Amino acid sequence: MEVEKLIKMANQIGDFFEANPDVEEAKREIASHLKKFWNSIMIKTLVAHVQQQQGRGLHPKVIAAIQQHVHL
């Protein structure tokens, strides 16, 4: 899957959880959603994008969620 599509999808998740005033909880929820509903290839591709491109184009909370809560 193209990373641009994954970025768009991940940003939609980030936008949804943006309403949560608890930033740490929002990051945990974003990571939880990715782990529950995305397959391993999708997650690995997004993690690689964060590691190699500093998450260019991603919602800041999505980047933080991946860095803090998604471990491969």
Side-chain angles (χ1 to χ4, degrees), residues 1 3 5 7 20 23-25 28 34 37 44 46-47 50 56 58 61 65 68 71:
M1 181 170 271
V3 73
K5 289 181 183 179
I7 290 169
N20 188 334
V23 175
E24 294 305 314
E25 181 180 8
R28 287 190 301 272
L34 294 174
F37 300 107
K44 286 178 184 179
L46 199 61
V47 168
V50 169
R56 181 180 41 81
L58 280 170
K61 282 186 185 167
Q68 295 173 14
H71 308 287

Side-chain angles (χ1 to χ4, degrees), residues 10-38:
N11 283 341
Q12 290 172 335
I13 297 165
D15 289 343
F16 178 82
F17 288 106
E18 183 66 23
N20 188 334
D22 184 333
V23 175
E24 294 305 314
E25 181 180 8
K27 291 187 286 189
R28 287 190 301 272
E29 291 294 329
I30 291 167
S32 176
H33 183 90
L34 294 174
K35 292 174 186 177
K36 285 181 186 175
F37 300 107
W38 286 34

